[in-house]
Amino acid sequence: YYIVKAMGFSRPEGTVLILHTYNGLPVKEIADEAFISCSAITSLIIGENVTKIGARAFKNCINLREVAFSKSLKEIGESAFSGCSSLLKAILPEGLEVIAREAFSGCKNLIKLKIPSTLKEGGYRHLPLEVKLEHINKIKGNFKEKTVCEDYTEHYEYWKEN
């Protein structure tokens, strides 16, 4: 299979399309830091074969406003979209299992982040406040005070079944 690697001196602009295949091979991953700080990217369409977005793959793409995620996506790496301050919404596909730490941190305009029911691992730091509270409210028990912790994976198994 094929992995989209670092862009080097080539700086893409506008809409970036990650293809389903390249040279006859399926494109399965976007490598760590592949598009880091590509400030001219405004939208992103990820091909249906992509299962993993690497760490910091789109970090600091400050003009990225929208992303169409692959329905095959299983993992979003650490800080993958960190600092994408123009990103407005992210509708994550059912089937996604892992959102690594700080995947969407610094996305100050992110007003909607839809978390799929298939998520097995993830941290709170990247979530908008409303989503954090929604997840905290799923945790049942006799808590005197509810707090938004850094990582909810320790609670996941409990509220997944309740």
Side-chain angles (χ1 to χ4, degrees):
Y1 64 91
Y2 188 78
I3 299 174
V4 178
K5 303 273 182 171
M7 295 304 296
F9 292 107
S10 174
R11 306 309 274 175
E13 298 178 4
T15 299
V16 170
L17 170 63
I18 306 295
L19 301 172
H20 304 293
T21 60
Y22 182 76
N23 287 338
L25 296 173
V27 177
K28 295 258 188 186
E29 295 182 23
I30 300 170
D32 294 354
E33 301 182 1
F35 295 89
I36 193 169
S37 298
C38 289
S39 60
I41 297 175
T42 57
S43 60
L44 174 64
I45 302 168
I46 300 174
E48 288 305 312
N49 290 325
V50 175
T51 59
K52 180 181 178 184
I53 298 173
R56 300 167 305 283
F58 297 95
K59 183 177 182 175
N60 294 329
C61 291
I62 59 172
N63 290 306
L64 180 62
R65 290 188 303 268
E66 57 186 342
V67 179
F69 290 95
S70 162
K71 291 178 183 157
S72 302
L73 190 62
K74 299 288 183 206
E75 180 180 348
I76 297 176
E78 185 172 330
S79 300
F81 293 93
S82 177
C84 293
S85 55
S86 296
L87 189 61
L88 297 173
K89 69 177 182 176
I91 308 300
L92 302 174
E94 284 299 319
L96 181 66
E97 297 176 353
V98 176
I99 301 175
R101 293 173 56 96
E102 301 190 33
F104 292 94
S105 69
C107 297
K108 62 184 177 185
N109 289 308
L110 185 61
I111 55 175
K112 181 171 184 171
L113 182 65
K114 182 175 183 289
I115 305 294
S117 62
T118 52
L119 192 68
K120 294 180 181 176
E121 246 180 85
Y124 274 128
R125 183 176 286 183
H126 60 275
L127 301 177
L129 180 59
E130 299 79 28
V131 179
K132 289 178 186 179
L133 293 174
E134 177 185 327
H135 286 289
I136 288 295
N137 286 329
K138 288 181 181 178
I139 301 170
K140 297 182 180 181
N142 293 321
F143 298 109
K144 292 180 182 173
E145 182 178 320
K146 291 183 181 179
T147 59
V148 178
C149 59
E150 167 60 25
D151 192 343
Y152 69 81
T153 53
E154 63 191 81
H155 302 292
Y156 179 77
E157 290 303 318
Y158 178 83
W159 60 257
K160 181 174 90 171
E161 297 172 6
N162 293 307

